[in-house]
Short mmCIF file of all heavy atoms in Angstrom, two decimals:
data_model
loop_
_atom_site.label_atom_id
_atom_site.label_comp_id
_atom_site.label_asym_id
_atom_site.label_seq_id
_atom_site.Cartn_x
_atom_site.Cartn_y
_atom_site.Cartn_z
N MET A 1 33.90 42.35 -31.95
CA MET A 1 35.21 42.60 -32.66
C MET A 1 35.38 41.74 -33.77
O MET A 1 34.78 40.66 -33.97
CB MET A 1 36.31 42.24 -31.64
CG MET A 1 37.68 42.77 -32.01
SD MET A 1 38.80 42.93 -30.60
CE MET A 1 40.27 42.32 -31.30
N ALA A 2 36.07 42.18 -34.82
CA ALA A 2 36.34 41.54 -36.06
C ALA A 2 37.68 41.91 -36.62
O ALA A 2 38.23 42.85 -36.21
CB ALA A 2 35.21 41.79 -37.01
N TYR A 3 38.11 41.10 -37.66
CA TYR A 3 39.24 41.56 -38.33
C TYR A 3 38.90 42.40 -39.50
O TYR A 3 37.79 42.38 -40.04
CB TYR A 3 40.02 40.31 -38.81
CG TYR A 3 40.98 39.70 -37.76
CD1 TYR A 3 40.50 39.14 -36.63
CD2 TYR A 3 42.34 39.81 -37.95
CE1 TYR A 3 41.31 38.68 -35.68
CE2 TYR A 3 43.25 39.35 -37.02
CZ TYR A 3 42.73 38.72 -35.81
OH TYR A 3 43.54 38.23 -34.92
N ARG A 4 39.84 43.21 -39.93
CA ARG A 4 39.64 44.07 -41.08
C ARG A 4 40.91 44.00 -42.00
O ARG A 4 42.02 43.75 -41.49
CB ARG A 4 39.52 45.52 -40.58
CG ARG A 4 39.46 46.61 -41.67
CD ARG A 4 39.35 47.99 -41.02
NE ARG A 4 40.52 48.36 -40.18
CZ ARG A 4 41.60 49.00 -40.73
NH1 ARG A 4 41.68 49.28 -41.99
NH2 ARG A 4 42.53 49.33 -39.89
N ILE A 5 40.80 44.04 -43.32
CA ILE A 5 41.84 44.00 -44.21
C ILE A 5 42.30 45.35 -44.72
O ILE A 5 41.47 46.12 -45.23
CB ILE A 5 41.48 43.16 -45.40
CG1 ILE A 5 41.29 41.68 -44.90
CG2 ILE A 5 42.56 43.14 -46.47
CD1 ILE A 5 40.78 40.73 -45.99
N THR A 6 43.53 45.76 -44.46
CA THR A 6 44.05 47.03 -44.79
C THR A 6 44.36 47.11 -46.33
O THR A 6 44.31 46.05 -47.10
CB THR A 6 45.33 47.31 -44.04
OG1 THR A 6 46.37 46.48 -44.55
CG2 THR A 6 45.17 47.10 -42.61
N ASP A 7 44.71 48.31 -46.75
CA ASP A 7 45.07 48.61 -48.14
C ASP A 7 46.36 47.85 -48.53
O ASP A 7 46.78 47.87 -49.72
CB ASP A 7 45.20 50.07 -48.40
CG ASP A 7 43.80 50.73 -48.40
OD1 ASP A 7 42.76 49.98 -48.55
OD2 ASP A 7 43.73 52.01 -48.34
N ASP A 8 47.12 47.27 -47.61
CA ASP A 8 48.29 46.49 -47.91
C ASP A 8 47.99 45.21 -48.81
O ASP A 8 48.81 44.63 -49.35
CB ASP A 8 49.03 46.08 -46.70
CG ASP A 8 49.70 47.28 -46.03
OD1 ASP A 8 49.83 48.34 -46.65
OD2 ASP A 8 50.04 47.12 -44.82
N CYS A 9 46.68 44.80 -48.73
CA CYS A 9 46.24 43.54 -49.44
C CYS A 9 46.63 43.57 -50.90
O CYS A 9 46.37 44.55 -51.63
CB CYS A 9 44.77 43.43 -49.28
SG CYS A 9 44.01 42.07 -50.23
N ILE A 10 47.24 42.47 -51.36
CA ILE A 10 47.58 42.28 -52.70
C ILE A 10 46.66 41.30 -53.46
O ILE A 10 46.91 40.84 -54.56
CB ILE A 10 49.07 41.81 -52.92
CG1 ILE A 10 49.22 40.48 -52.04
CG2 ILE A 10 50.04 42.87 -52.36
CD1 ILE A 10 50.59 39.81 -52.32
N ALA A 11 45.49 41.07 -52.81
CA ALA A 11 44.47 40.28 -53.43
C ALA A 11 44.84 38.85 -53.92
O ALA A 11 44.44 38.47 -54.94
CB ALA A 11 43.82 41.09 -54.66
N CYS A 12 45.65 38.18 -53.05
CA CYS A 12 46.10 36.88 -53.39
C CYS A 12 45.09 35.80 -53.15
O CYS A 12 45.07 34.70 -53.74
CB CYS A 12 47.36 36.50 -52.65
SG CYS A 12 47.15 36.20 -50.90
N GLY A 13 44.07 36.06 -52.24
CA GLY A 13 42.98 35.09 -51.96
C GLY A 13 43.29 34.06 -50.92
O GLY A 13 42.44 33.27 -50.60
N ALA A 14 44.48 34.03 -50.42
CA ALA A 14 44.84 33.01 -49.42
C ALA A 14 43.96 32.99 -48.15
O ALA A 14 43.55 31.99 -47.71
CB ALA A 14 46.34 33.17 -49.02
N CYS A 15 43.69 34.24 -47.74
CA CYS A 15 42.86 34.33 -46.54
C CYS A 15 41.46 33.81 -46.71
O CYS A 15 40.85 33.13 -45.84
CB CYS A 15 42.75 35.81 -46.08
SG CYS A 15 42.17 36.95 -47.36
N ALA A 16 40.79 34.15 -47.86
CA ALA A 16 39.45 33.67 -48.15
C ALA A 16 39.38 32.17 -48.12
O ALA A 16 38.36 31.60 -47.68
CB ALA A 16 39.02 34.21 -49.50
N ALA A 17 40.34 31.58 -48.71
CA ALA A 17 40.41 30.06 -48.74
C ALA A 17 40.50 29.44 -47.37
O ALA A 17 40.00 28.35 -47.15
CB ALA A 17 41.58 29.61 -49.57
N GLY A 18 41.07 30.18 -46.38
CA GLY A 18 41.23 29.54 -45.02
C GLY A 18 40.29 30.00 -43.97
O GLY A 18 40.23 29.49 -42.91
N CYS A 19 39.36 30.90 -44.39
CA CYS A 19 38.41 31.41 -43.35
C CYS A 19 37.30 30.37 -43.09
O CYS A 19 36.64 29.86 -43.96
CB CYS A 19 37.81 32.68 -43.90
SG CYS A 19 36.54 33.31 -42.69
N PRO A 20 37.20 29.92 -41.83
CA PRO A 20 36.26 28.88 -41.45
C PRO A 20 34.83 29.28 -41.56
O PRO A 20 33.98 28.27 -41.65
CB PRO A 20 36.67 28.54 -40.00
CG PRO A 20 37.21 29.85 -39.49
CD PRO A 20 37.94 30.41 -40.61
N VAL A 21 34.57 30.49 -41.72
CA VAL A 21 33.09 30.86 -41.78
C VAL A 21 32.79 31.65 -43.07
O VAL A 21 31.75 32.28 -43.20
CB VAL A 21 32.66 31.75 -40.55
CG1 VAL A 21 32.63 30.89 -39.24
CG2 VAL A 21 33.60 32.98 -40.40
N ASP A 22 33.81 31.56 -44.00
CA ASP A 22 33.54 32.14 -45.32
C ASP A 22 33.13 33.65 -45.27
O ASP A 22 32.33 34.10 -45.97
CB ASP A 22 32.42 31.38 -46.10
CG ASP A 22 32.64 31.37 -47.50
OD1 ASP A 22 33.80 31.64 -48.01
OD2 ASP A 22 31.71 31.01 -48.28
N ALA A 23 33.89 34.39 -44.43
CA ALA A 23 33.59 35.80 -44.20
C ALA A 23 34.29 36.77 -45.11
O ALA A 23 34.10 37.91 -45.06
CB ALA A 23 33.93 36.23 -42.73
N ILE A 24 35.23 36.18 -45.94
CA ILE A 24 36.13 36.99 -46.77
C ILE A 24 35.74 36.87 -48.24
O ILE A 24 35.65 35.79 -48.71
CB ILE A 24 37.60 36.67 -46.52
CG1 ILE A 24 37.94 36.62 -45.03
CG2 ILE A 24 38.51 37.62 -47.25
CD1 ILE A 24 39.35 36.12 -44.71
N SER A 25 35.62 37.99 -48.87
CA SER A 25 35.35 37.95 -50.31
C SER A 25 36.11 38.96 -51.04
O SER A 25 36.68 39.91 -50.42
CB SER A 25 33.79 38.27 -50.53
OG SER A 25 33.53 39.53 -49.98
N GLU A 26 36.25 38.80 -52.36
CA GLU A 26 37.01 39.81 -53.23
C GLU A 26 36.24 41.05 -53.37
O GLU A 26 35.09 41.12 -53.76
CB GLU A 26 37.30 39.13 -54.54
CG GLU A 26 38.36 39.92 -55.31
CD GLU A 26 38.85 39.14 -56.51
OE1 GLU A 26 38.28 38.01 -56.80
OE2 GLU A 26 39.89 39.57 -57.17
N GLY A 27 36.93 42.15 -53.01
CA GLY A 27 36.33 43.46 -53.16
C GLY A 27 36.94 44.25 -54.29
O GLY A 27 37.48 43.58 -55.26
N ASP A 28 36.88 45.53 -54.28
CA ASP A 28 37.46 46.33 -55.31
C ASP A 28 38.97 46.56 -55.12
O ASP A 28 39.45 47.50 -54.42
CB ASP A 28 36.72 47.68 -55.25
CG ASP A 28 37.13 48.61 -56.50
OD1 ASP A 28 37.75 48.04 -57.41
OD2 ASP A 28 36.81 49.75 -56.42
N GLY A 29 39.75 45.70 -55.74
CA GLY A 29 41.18 45.77 -55.66
C GLY A 29 41.85 45.20 -54.48
O GLY A 29 43.06 45.07 -54.35
N LYS A 30 41.01 44.70 -53.50
CA LYS A 30 41.50 44.01 -52.34
C LYS A 30 40.39 43.10 -51.76
O LYS A 30 39.30 43.17 -52.22
CB LYS A 30 41.98 45.02 -51.22
CG LYS A 30 40.88 45.78 -50.67
CD LYS A 30 41.40 46.62 -49.41
CE LYS A 30 40.23 47.12 -48.58
NZ LYS A 30 40.68 47.58 -47.27
N TYR A 31 40.74 42.28 -50.86
CA TYR A 31 39.70 41.41 -50.17
C TYR A 31 39.10 42.15 -49.00
O TYR A 31 39.71 42.97 -48.43
CB TYR A 31 40.39 40.09 -49.80
CG TYR A 31 40.34 39.04 -50.96
CD1 TYR A 31 41.10 39.42 -52.12
CD2 TYR A 31 39.59 37.94 -51.00
CE1 TYR A 31 41.12 38.48 -53.19
CE2 TYR A 31 39.59 37.05 -52.05
CZ TYR A 31 40.33 37.36 -53.16
OH TYR A 31 40.28 36.50 -54.26
N VAL A 32 37.86 41.78 -48.69
CA VAL A 32 37.16 42.46 -47.54
C VAL A 32 36.62 41.33 -46.63
O VAL A 32 36.15 40.29 -47.08
CB VAL A 32 36.05 43.34 -48.01
CG1 VAL A 32 36.64 44.53 -48.82
CG2 VAL A 32 35.11 42.66 -48.99
N ILE A 33 36.43 41.73 -45.37
CA ILE A 33 35.87 40.81 -44.37
C ILE A 33 34.53 41.37 -43.96
O ILE A 33 34.35 42.58 -43.64
CB ILE A 33 36.77 40.76 -43.13
CG1 ILE A 33 38.08 40.10 -43.48
CG2 ILE A 33 36.06 40.09 -41.95
CD1 ILE A 33 39.17 40.07 -42.39
N ASP A 34 33.51 40.48 -43.95
CA ASP A 34 32.18 40.80 -43.42
C ASP A 34 32.27 40.73 -41.89
O ASP A 34 32.37 39.68 -41.30
CB ASP A 34 31.17 39.82 -43.96
CG ASP A 34 29.81 40.05 -43.43
OD1 ASP A 34 29.61 41.07 -42.68
OD2 ASP A 34 28.94 39.26 -43.64
N ALA A 35 32.29 41.91 -41.23
CA ALA A 35 32.41 41.97 -39.74
C ALA A 35 31.33 41.20 -39.03
O ALA A 35 31.53 40.81 -37.91
CB ALA A 35 32.44 43.40 -39.38
N GLU A 36 30.18 41.07 -39.67
CA GLU A 36 29.01 40.44 -38.98
C GLU A 36 29.26 38.96 -38.96
O GLU A 36 28.73 38.21 -38.05
CB GLU A 36 27.77 40.71 -39.71
CG GLU A 36 27.32 42.16 -39.81
CD GLU A 36 26.83 42.61 -38.31
OE1 GLU A 36 26.05 41.95 -37.77
OE2 GLU A 36 27.36 43.72 -37.97
N THR A 37 30.01 38.41 -39.87
CA THR A 37 30.27 36.97 -40.01
C THR A 37 31.50 36.53 -39.35
O THR A 37 31.58 35.42 -38.78
CB THR A 37 30.35 36.48 -41.51
OG1 THR A 37 29.17 37.05 -42.17
CG2 THR A 37 30.34 35.09 -41.68
N CYS A 38 32.49 37.42 -39.34
CA CYS A 38 33.81 37.03 -38.79
C CYS A 38 33.71 36.68 -37.30
O CYS A 38 33.02 37.30 -36.49
CB CYS A 38 34.75 38.29 -38.92
SG CYS A 38 36.34 38.10 -38.07
N ILE A 39 34.41 35.48 -36.90
CA ILE A 39 34.36 35.07 -35.56
C ILE A 39 35.71 35.32 -34.86
O ILE A 39 35.94 34.82 -33.80
CB ILE A 39 34.03 33.54 -35.49
CG1 ILE A 39 35.01 32.69 -36.31
CG2 ILE A 39 32.59 33.26 -35.93
CD1 ILE A 39 34.86 31.25 -36.09
N ASP A 40 36.51 36.19 -35.49
CA ASP A 40 37.76 36.68 -34.76
C ASP A 40 38.73 35.60 -34.54
O ASP A 40 39.43 35.64 -33.54
CB ASP A 40 37.25 37.42 -33.50
CG ASP A 40 38.26 38.47 -33.00
OD1 ASP A 40 38.88 39.00 -33.83
OD2 ASP A 40 38.37 38.61 -31.78
N CYS A 41 38.85 34.62 -35.41
CA CYS A 41 39.76 33.45 -35.13
C CYS A 41 41.23 33.82 -35.42
O CYS A 41 42.11 33.13 -34.94
CB CYS A 41 39.33 32.24 -35.95
SG CYS A 41 39.62 32.42 -37.72
N GLY A 42 41.40 34.74 -36.30
CA GLY A 42 42.83 35.10 -36.61
C GLY A 42 43.49 34.36 -37.75
O GLY A 42 44.69 34.52 -38.01
N ALA A 43 42.85 33.33 -38.25
CA ALA A 43 43.43 32.44 -39.30
C ALA A 43 43.94 33.31 -40.51
O ALA A 43 44.95 33.03 -41.05
CB ALA A 43 42.44 31.42 -39.73
N CYS A 44 43.12 34.32 -40.87
CA CYS A 44 43.46 35.11 -42.06
C CYS A 44 44.78 35.87 -41.83
O CYS A 44 45.56 36.00 -42.75
CB CYS A 44 42.35 36.12 -42.44
SG CYS A 44 41.75 37.04 -41.01
N ALA A 45 44.94 36.32 -40.66
CA ALA A 45 46.22 37.07 -40.39
C ALA A 45 47.47 36.15 -40.50
O ALA A 45 48.53 36.57 -41.00
CB ALA A 45 46.13 37.68 -38.96
N GLY A 46 47.23 34.86 -40.15
CA GLY A 46 48.32 33.95 -40.20
C GLY A 46 48.61 33.47 -41.61
O GLY A 46 49.76 33.18 -41.97
N ASP A 47 47.57 33.43 -42.48
CA ASP A 47 47.68 33.04 -43.85
C ASP A 47 48.27 34.13 -44.78
O ASP A 47 48.78 33.87 -45.85
CB ASP A 47 46.34 32.56 -44.41
CG ASP A 47 45.94 31.23 -43.76
OD1 ASP A 47 46.72 30.56 -43.20
OD2 ASP A 47 44.71 30.91 -43.91
N CYS A 48 48.09 35.39 -44.36
CA CYS A 48 48.42 36.52 -45.28
C CYS A 48 49.92 36.76 -45.44
O CYS A 48 50.61 36.89 -44.47
CB CYS A 48 47.70 37.71 -44.80
SG CYS A 48 48.06 39.22 -45.89
N PRO A 49 50.33 36.80 -46.65
CA PRO A 49 51.78 37.08 -46.93
C PRO A 49 52.25 38.50 -46.60
O PRO A 49 53.53 38.77 -46.44
CB PRO A 49 52.04 36.74 -48.41
CG PRO A 49 50.69 37.07 -49.00
CD PRO A 49 49.72 36.60 -47.94
N VAL A 50 51.34 39.47 -46.54
CA VAL A 50 51.68 40.86 -46.26
C VAL A 50 51.08 41.43 -44.96
O VAL A 50 51.08 42.65 -44.81
CB VAL A 50 51.31 41.71 -47.50
CG1 VAL A 50 52.13 41.32 -48.71
CG2 VAL A 50 49.80 41.67 -47.80
N ASP A 51 50.64 40.56 -44.17
CA ASP A 51 50.01 41.01 -42.85
C ASP A 51 48.90 42.07 -42.94
O ASP A 51 48.83 43.01 -42.16
CB ASP A 51 51.11 41.59 -41.99
CG ASP A 51 52.11 40.40 -41.48
OD1 ASP A 51 51.66 39.28 -41.40
OD2 ASP A 51 53.21 40.77 -41.29
N ALA A 52 48.05 41.84 -44.06
CA ALA A 52 47.06 42.84 -44.22
C ALA A 52 45.78 42.71 -43.24
O ALA A 52 45.27 43.78 -42.90
CB ALA A 52 46.53 42.80 -45.68
N PRO A 53 45.41 41.64 -42.85
CA PRO A 53 44.34 41.46 -41.91
C PRO A 53 44.80 41.94 -40.54
O PRO A 53 45.75 41.50 -39.96
CB PRO A 53 43.92 40.04 -41.88
CG PRO A 53 44.57 39.43 -43.07
CD PRO A 53 45.87 40.24 -43.29
N VAL A 54 44.05 42.91 -39.91
CA VAL A 54 44.38 43.37 -38.56
C VAL A 54 43.13 43.31 -37.64
O VAL A 54 41.96 43.46 -38.11
CB VAL A 54 44.87 44.84 -38.62
CG1 VAL A 54 46.17 44.92 -39.37
CG2 VAL A 54 43.82 45.72 -39.28
N ALA A 55 43.37 43.02 -36.40
CA ALA A 55 42.22 42.91 -35.44
C ALA A 55 41.89 44.32 -35.06
O ALA A 55 42.72 45.22 -34.90
CB ALA A 55 42.70 42.23 -34.20
N GLU A 56 40.60 44.60 -34.87
CA GLU A 56 40.17 45.95 -34.42
C GLU A 56 38.94 45.80 -33.50
O GLU A 56 38.48 44.73 -33.20
CB GLU A 56 39.94 46.84 -35.53
CG GLU A 56 38.92 46.34 -36.52
CD GLU A 56 38.68 47.53 -37.63
OE1 GLU A 56 39.54 48.26 -37.83
OE2 GLU A 56 37.54 47.57 -38.16
FE1 SF4 B 1 37.60 34.59 -41.14
FE2 SF4 B 1 38.96 34.21 -38.81
FE3 SF4 B 1 39.75 36.07 -40.52
FE4 SF4 B 1 37.49 36.40 -39.25
S1 SF4 B 1 39.49 36.34 -38.27
S2 SF4 B 1 37.77 36.80 -41.41
S3 SF4 B 1 36.65 34.32 -39.12
S4 SF4 B 1 39.75 33.81 -40.88
FE1 SF4 B 2 44.80 40.17 -49.19
FE2 SF4 B 2 46.42 38.97 -47.46
FE3 SF4 B 2 43.99 38.00 -48.01
FE4 SF4 B 2 45.99 37.76 -49.79
S1 SF4 B 2 45.91 36.78 -47.75
S2 SF4 B 2 43.81 38.38 -50.25
S3 SF4 B 2 47.07 39.72 -49.49
S4 SF4 B 2 44.38 40.01 -46.99
#
C-alpha cells in the first residue's frame, strides 16, 4: 500500500519537504509519490493544505 496524490494538488511542495523517505517529487503540474519508496506513514496527508495525498 502507498499514498497517491490526486489532481487536487496545487504543487506547493510541502509534502515533499516532510516525507521521511524522500518519495515525493515534482511532476507535470503536480507532485507525485513513488509507490515503491513510500512507507505509508501519512505525513504528506497531514502536511497538505488541500488534502491531495490519499491512501490506496
Ligand atoms: Fe512519504 Fe509518508 Fe507520504 Fe509515503 S505516506 S509519500 S512515506 S510522507
Ligand atoms: Fe500538492 Fe499537497 Fe504536496 Fe502541496 S502538499 S505539493 S498541494 S500534494
Side-chain angles (χ1 to χ4, degrees):
M1 194 157 138
Y3 274 68
R4 174 178 64 86
I5 293 175
T6 70
D7 289 345
D8 289 342
C9 174
I10 56 172
C12 72
C15 57
C19 178
V21 293
D22 213 15
I24 308 175
S25 58
E26 189 167 9
D28 187 13
K30 66 170 196 168
Y31 275 63
V32 292
I33 293 171
D34 176 7
E36 298 290 310
T37 306
C38 175
I39 56 170
D40 205 30
C41 72
C44 51
D47 287 344
C48 181
V50 295
D51 294 331
V54 293
E56 56 175 27

